[in-house]
Amino acid sequence: MGILASRSKTLLPLLAAALIFTVWALVAKPGFIAVMAGERQIPIYSVKREYRVVSLTFDAAWGNEDTEALIGILGRYNIKATFFVVGDWARKYPESVRQLSDAGHEIMSHSDRHEHMTRLSPSQISADLKACNDAVEAVTGVRPALFRCPYGEYDDNVVRAARDMGMEVIQWDVDSLDWMDKTAAQIQERVLGGVGPGSIVLFHNAAKHTPEALEGIITGLMREGYSFARVSELLLTENYSIDNSGMQIPAR
């Protein structure tokens, strides 16, 4: 018994050390890290760009009172933006969808009924996205290729379901918080203070002070040397990865 006990005391530290070494060796392998990172589905929040370019985006889910004003302001500066619209909104306001499209703005998906997508099954998510895409395509003739989750809520199932349909999921790295009825000055301060090269800015088409704030944001960004691109133009289309912050970066 004494010999067995002595051997056990000797073997246990050796086994523990071997186990630690094995785990370290696995984790240290680049391939192992890539597999672990690849399991998490991350949307795109921004794009790594070496020059000053930004995408202005607007979510349209319920109201429509400011859409024409936004089209007018963007048009004065020849800026093309991306509007993420809900399918129900597109069916309710087809003329506004057509006006946006005719003005050169891209119309993308914000789901069909603005539900909490994380509560849906993969098949329900796919059906919802298809319904919204059908509604937009019926008006514009162009099928959305980008999707923004309602409430900004997503999980792996939501992102994977969209990507399985050939759609990319787009978040934002600068939130204007216009939906909180902040003043025009507060909205301008948030956006101008938060934007960087490759930023995606979130606005809403029916927020109280967005039109009032928008012109100052545009002129402020122009003074800082920024140009403007639709999200589809901002994105990298090949040889890229998405880091843990959601930044789309060129592959090395």
Side-chain angles (χ1 to χ4, degrees):
M1 291 293 290
I3 294 173
L4 290 174
S6 177
R7 286 181 177 174
S8 296
K9 290 178 181 178
T10 303
L11 287 172
L12 282 173
L14 292 174
L15 289 171
L19 179 61
I20 291 169
F21 177 81
T22 301
V23 171
W24 175 86
L26 282 172
V27 174
K29 289 182 179 179
F32 182 80
I33 294 173
V35 170
M36 294 295 288
E39 291 178 355
R40 184 180 172 202
Q41 299 291 315
I42 305 175
I44 294 173
Y45 284 75
S46 64
V47 181
K48 183 174 179 59
R49 290 296 189 185
E50 301 302 325
Y51 56 96
R52 294 189 171 191
V53 59
V54 61
S55 284
L56 305 183
T57 72
F58 300 81
D59 288 358
W62 294 286
N64 191 38
E65 48 268 41
D66 294 330
T67 305
E68 285 194 22
L70 296 173
I71 292 173
I73 295 167
L74 293 168
R76 281 201 293 276
Y77 294 92
N78 195 30
I79 291 170
K80 310 304 180 188
T82 301
F83 284 75
F84 290 92
V85 309
V86 169
D88 278 348
W89 190 88
R91 285 184 285 269
K92 186 174 182 180
Y93 303 110
E95 285 303 316
S96 291
V97 175
R98 190 171 293 108
Q99 287 175 344
L100 287 167
S101 180
D102 289 346
H105 306 297
E106 60 184 6
I107 317 299
M108 297 297 176
S109 171
H110 194 33
S111 82
D112 196 52
R113 292 182 294 175
H114 208 270
E115 296 189 74
H116 294 275
M117 304 298 281
T118 56
R119 301 176 186 176
L120 304 182
S121 69
S123 61
Q124 289 173 321
I125 295 167
S126 299
D128 182 278
L129 294 183
K130 180 182 182 302
C132 180
N133 290 350
D134 289 346
V136 172
E137 187 177 23
V139 179
T140 66
V142 180
R143 198 161 187 82
L146 305 177
F147 168 57
R148 173 168 286 163
C149 303
Y151 310 104
E153 296 176 352
Y154 66 88
D155 58 17
D156 286 352
N157 285 331
V158 175
V159 181
R160 188 178 291 110
R163 287 176 175 160
D164 285 347
M165 295 177 66
M167 302 181 72
E168 187 52 83
V169 183
I170 304 299
Q171 294 283 93
W172 58 87
D173 66 321
V174 180
D175 187 348
S176 69
L177 294 183
D178 58 354
W179 57 275
M180 294 181 66
D181 288 346
K182 288 188 174 292
T183 66
Q186 289 172 325
I187 295 170
Q188 289 174 2
E189 182 179 3
R190 279 191 60 83
V191 174
L192 294 175
V195 161
S199 280
I200 299 173
V201 185
L202 171 64
F203 297 101
H204 295 78
N205 75 309
K208 190 173 182 181
H209 298 293
T210 302
E212 182 185 353
L214 186 58
E215 191 155 4
I217 289 169
I218 290 171
T219 56
L221 290 172
M222 284 180 166
R223 282 195 299 270
E224 294 178 15
Y226 277 91
S227 60
F228 301 83
R230 290 166 286 210
V231 173
S232 64
E233 298 166 329
L234 182 72
L235 296 180
L236 304 173
T237 57
E238 57 184 16
N239 299 325
Y240 67 84
S241 60
I242 301 171
D243 69 15
N244 288 332
S245 73
M247 178 180 284
Q248 190 188 35
I249 57 178
R252 295 180 180 176

